[in-house]
């Protein structure tokens, strides 16, 4: 098993960052405009991605845990085959005026090339979340920063 | 052991990206302005980082392998204790008009919080390398994009 790890510090409050991770509007503000579903334990949130008008891919996340305002845990129930069964966890903590996010996308079966890609892209989206919190404007798909051709 | 993985695609040539990883001028253009030493097998390259005029930290990398224009392998011989002994590898391949970099910072003993930080920061520096290659301008330290307070 292999994990993607990231950390960012955001000038914001725990409540605001938690809201950006647990509401449709919040998630649509930094990850993908096309976010559907409800963030409740046992519910499924559906994330759809596109580039230049064409669908790129999707992830369906089952919400396993919600511990406001400190922890969120999802499990991937549909999407790319390498993602299915993996889990995405968000740990939030306040340090002076920063909210520190410890992010893990864990339980990849193999460190395939696609995992390298997703690791970099998660960093880009975490910076989008930071930007949303600090400036009011994120860069969610389809206006995300590209790290490869269309992705 | 735990590894940091990343991938980016850069509109450039293998020779140019390889040069940015194996010359003092190239490395200073995307990672840190304060780069010293010589990129030759067995040599040590010294990277120094600062923020707001104060030293932040340093890494000394021994060059273990150079396979132009496709592979570079370093080993950390001095720096933060969590980094010492870890290895940083760069695999380059051409895919149509893109140079794809597969990056690994491998052999971390434990997935400590600092590893989360470094994973995100490596993504930022890979985007700086991409920017240097594609626009002529990177964002090396001390002008790097911050993901935490000063770092």
């Amino acid at each position: 098993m292999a994990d993607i790890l990231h950390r960012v510090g955001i000038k914001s409050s725990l409540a605001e960052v938690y809201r950006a991770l647990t509401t449709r509007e919040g998630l649509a503000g930094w990850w993908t405009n096309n976010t559907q579903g409800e963030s409740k334990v046992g519910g499924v949130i559906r994330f759809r991605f596109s580039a230049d008008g064409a669908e790129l891919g999707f992830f369906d996340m089952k919400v396993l845990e919600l511990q406001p305002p400190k922890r969120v845990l999802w499990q991937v129930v549909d999407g790319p085959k390498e993602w299915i069964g993996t889990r995405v966890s968000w740990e939030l903590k306040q340090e002076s005026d920063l909210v520190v996010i410890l992010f893990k996308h864990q339980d990849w079966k193999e460190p395939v090339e696609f995992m390298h890609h997703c690791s970099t892209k998660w960093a880009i989206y975490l910076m989008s979340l930071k930007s949303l919190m600090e400036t009011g404007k994120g860069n969610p798909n389809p206006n995300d920063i590209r790290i490869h051709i269309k992705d």
Side-chain angles (χ1 to χ4, degrees), chain A:
Chain A
M1 294 289 190
D3 303 339
I4 294 169
L5 309 177
H6 286 298
R7 185 183 80 167
V8 291
I10 299 178
K11 279 192 187 161
S12 185
S13 69
L14 284 173
E16 284 174 9
V17 176
Y18 185 80
R19 190 159 54 233
L21 298 174
T22 57
T23 63
R24 204 191 59 75
E25 294 72 19
L27 291 160
W30 65 267
W31 200 17
T32 174
N33 285 348
N34 192 342
T35 298
Q36 304 295 332
E38 201 181 342
S39 176
K40 59 179 183 184
V41 173
V44 172
I45 317 176
R46 294 179 297 281
F47 302 97
R48 299 288 177 275
F49 297 80
S50 62
D52 307 328
E55 186 172 310
L56 262 190
F58 70 98
F59 311 120
D60 287 355
M61 301 282 193
K62 184 172 181 178
V63 180
L64 295 188
E65 288 182 42
L66 291 174
Q67 294 178 26
K70 296 208 164 172
R71 180 171 156 83
V72 173
L73 179 65
W74 299 327
Q75 184 158 41
V76 182
V77 292
D78 203 358
K81 68 179 191 303
E82 298 90 342
W83 277 52
I84 293 175
T86 61
R87 290 177 299 157
V88 175
S89 74
W90 304 84
E91 304 278 351
L92 278 53
K93 59 184 176 177
Q94 190 86 42
E95 288 184 1
S96 65
D97 65 339
L98 284 189
V99 175
V100 174
I101 297 181
L102 294 181
F103 168 92
K104 280 188 195 152
H105 183 180
Q106 58 201 80
D107 300 340
W108 287 70
K109 287 195 186 79
E110 299 289 340
V112 291
E113 181 168 333
F114 184 47
M115 183 177 168
H116 294 64
H117 171 82
C118 295
S119 174
T120 313
K121 196 74 192 194
W122 272 124
I124 297 293
Y125 282 121
L126 283 161
M127 294 303 283
S128 169
L129 171 58
K130 179 174 166 70
S131 174
L132 176 66
M133 298 286 96
E134 294 181 350
T135 73
K137 190 179 175 316
N139 297 294
N141 178 271
N143 302 310
D144 49 315
I145 293 170
R146 306 292 165 85
I147 63 173
H148 203 257
I149 305 175
K150 292 190 175 180
D151 199 1

